[in-house]
Every structure is written in structure tokens, then in C-alpha cells.
Amino acid sequence: MEPLHTTLRLSMLLLVLTCSMGVTAQTSKTAQNNGLPVSLPSMNKGDSIPEREFADKVYDVVDEHPHFPGGNGALLDWLSKNIHYTSGCASIQGRVVVSFFVEPDGSLSDIELVRKVAPELDEEVLRVVKAMPKWIPASQNNKPIRAKFTMPITFRSE
């Protein structure tokens, strides 16, 4: 029974030594910084979110999302009038997904296809998105900002 007792004592001692080394390492790091915790300098000019500047950044969460002038109904109407689903493509069906950035001035940039269907339909989507009028940009703290927008366009024969 003595060997088991000795093994347990050695295991506990090893555990305590390992934990104390971690505490010692943290203590010495704090001592190197004159007892003050290590902190990174703030990259923001303000102390709170409303005071921060949002120029040249892309945000996932915004106060107001970018949108087509007139809303989704106007976007669907504009797409239906400008997409040419030619008779040569009538048998091809599918959903092309396009993404782009809406810049603070409402222009579209970095247009790319996220999901392709067929070269003819893919090229048509690129042509139409490049021809779109300026959008209403996203905003953060009532300032226009750059935001990414992803849009599916479905082609189906009737």
C-alpha cells in the first residue's frame, strides 16, 4: 500500500509545482511592467462606440443597411426590366449569387460572383449589377460607410 501512497504524493507534488511555475511566470511579467497589467493602446479616437471613426472599414453590423433607391420592390422592378434572359438560355435555370461593396457615395465596387450557374447567366448578372444606379449606402452613427451586400438572382423558365 505504501508504493501507491508515495505515487499519489509525488503526483500531487508535481501538480503543485507545475501550477506554481505558471503563477511565478505571471508574477514576473507583471513585475517587468512596474506592477501594472499589460494593455494594448486603443486604436479608437473616442472612448465609446458613438465617438469612434468608421472611415475605410467594412462592418458586419450597421445601424442602417445599404439598399437600392426605392427599396426592394424598386430593385426587383429594375432587375426585371434590365436582365435579358435570352431564348438561347431559356433551358438554363438556377440561382446566381453576386456580392459587392456599397461605397459611402453609393457606388458599387468589388463585384464578384459567389455562386455561378452557367457562363451566359453569370455574365448577364455581372453586366446588370455593373449597370445599376447608385445605392443608398449603409450608415453608422448617421455617417455613410462601406458595407458588403450579397444578392441572389434566380433564373427560371416559365
Side-chain angles (χ1 to χ4, degrees), residues 1-15:
M1 189 93 166
E2 177 124 18
L4 179 61
H5 182 63
T6 306
T7 305
L8 286 174
R9 287 181 73 189
L10 286 174
S11 298
M12 290 299 290
L13 181 61
L14 184 59
L15 180 65

Side-chain angles (χ1 to χ4, degrees), residues 6-74:
T6 306
T7 305
L8 286 174
R9 287 181 73 189
L10 286 174
S11 298
M12 290 299 290
L13 181 61
L14 184 59
L15 180 65
V16 169
L17 286 174
T18 305
C19 291
S20 65
M21 286 176 22
V23 171
T24 304
Q26 292 175 0
T27 304
S28 65
K29 187 172 185 177
T30 303
Q32 290 174 353
N33 291 309
N34 299 324
L36 300 173
V38 178
S39 64
L40 298 173
S42 175
M43 299 302 289
N44 301 306
K45 291 186 179 181
D47 291 330
S48 63
I49 291 175
E51 296 172 344
R52 295 179 186 167
E53 288 189 12
F54 295 101
D56 299 328
K57 296 180 184 177
V58 178
Y59 295 90
D60 294 328
V61 180
V62 296
D63 291 343
E64 187 176 327
H65 293 280
H67 57 277
F68 191 82
N72 287 338

Side-chain angles (χ1 to χ4, degrees), residues 8 12 16 23 35 37 44 52 71 82-84 86-87 92-93 106 109 115 122 136 140 151 158:
L8 286 174
M12 290 299 290
V16 169
V23 171
N44 301 306
R52 295 179 186 167
N82 290 284
I83 288 181
H84 303 296
T86 63
S87 59
I92 305 171
Q93 298 185 67
S109 67
R115 181 177 175 195
D122 301 340
I136 308 301
Q140 187 75 19
M151 180 174 60
E158 296 180 18

